[in-house]
Amino acid sequence: MHKELLYIPPSELHDYWFLVKPGLLEVKINSSAGWIEEDVYSSLRNGQSTLHIGFVDGEYSGFLVLSKQQGYDAMRLFVWCCYAKTEHDQIALFVDDLLAMARSIKARQITFGSK
């Protein structure tokens, strides 16, 4: 199985939004979050969060929306939204990528905002 987690720069967000928006609606329905899709778009566009789209064997498998957060004692990598379009668990599939991203920002924790 070939897997890839592709970082989407803010300048390319519009090109991928058609993949992300339906998944965000599903994530929101399954959570008690107070955000709307436009909040996520704005955060991504302004560089406060990052979008990473997963592919398995060249097929879109889901996405992760990540944010860097300062905790009371250390930096954290916050998984704001996680969506799996396929049976592939995005966290399990890309755990090595998440750990590398956490290390790159000197985060000592990875926290989650979606189920």
Side-chain angles (χ1 to χ4, degrees):
M1 165 178 35
H2 174 69
K3 61 181 183 165
E4 178 183 18
L5 190 61
L6 181 65
Y7 164 69
I8 308 301
S11 61
E12 296 177 23
L13 180 59
H14 190 267
D15 298 336
Y16 292 89
W17 193 245
F18 75 98
L19 288 174
V20 175
K21 189 172 181 178
L24 282 176
L25 292 170
E26 194 170 323
V27 170
K28 183 165 176 44
I29 288 169
N30 291 309
S31 73
S32 58
W35 51 264
I36 59 175
E37 297 77 24
E38 290 80 0
D39 295 330
V40 177
Y41 187 93
S42 176
S43 182
L44 293 168
R45 195 74 172 140
N46 293 322
Q48 296 167 318
S49 297
T50 58
L51 174 62
H52 306 266
I53 296 185
F55 295 92
V56 175
D57 296 330
E59 300 277 330
Y60 168 65
S61 64
F63 65 83
L64 299 166
V65 176
L66 309 176
S67 298
K68 181 170 62 170
Q69 292 184 335
Q70 179 62 52
Y72 71 92
D73 63 343
M75 193 61 68
R76 298 181 189 141
L77 179 63
F78 178 60
V79 181
W80 183 8
C81 300
C82 176
Y83 172 73
K85 179 174 175 35
T86 66
E87 71 279 357
H88 299 288
D89 177 340
Q90 299 301 286
I91 299 299
L93 195 61
F94 298 112
V95 67
D96 292 338
D97 299 272
L98 281 171
L99 291 172
M101 285 184 248
R103 279 195 245 23
S104 76
I105 63 167
K106 298 181 176 31
R108 293 197 320 199
Q109 294 178 323
I110 299 175
T111 58
F112 299 87
S114 70
K115 297 179 181 183

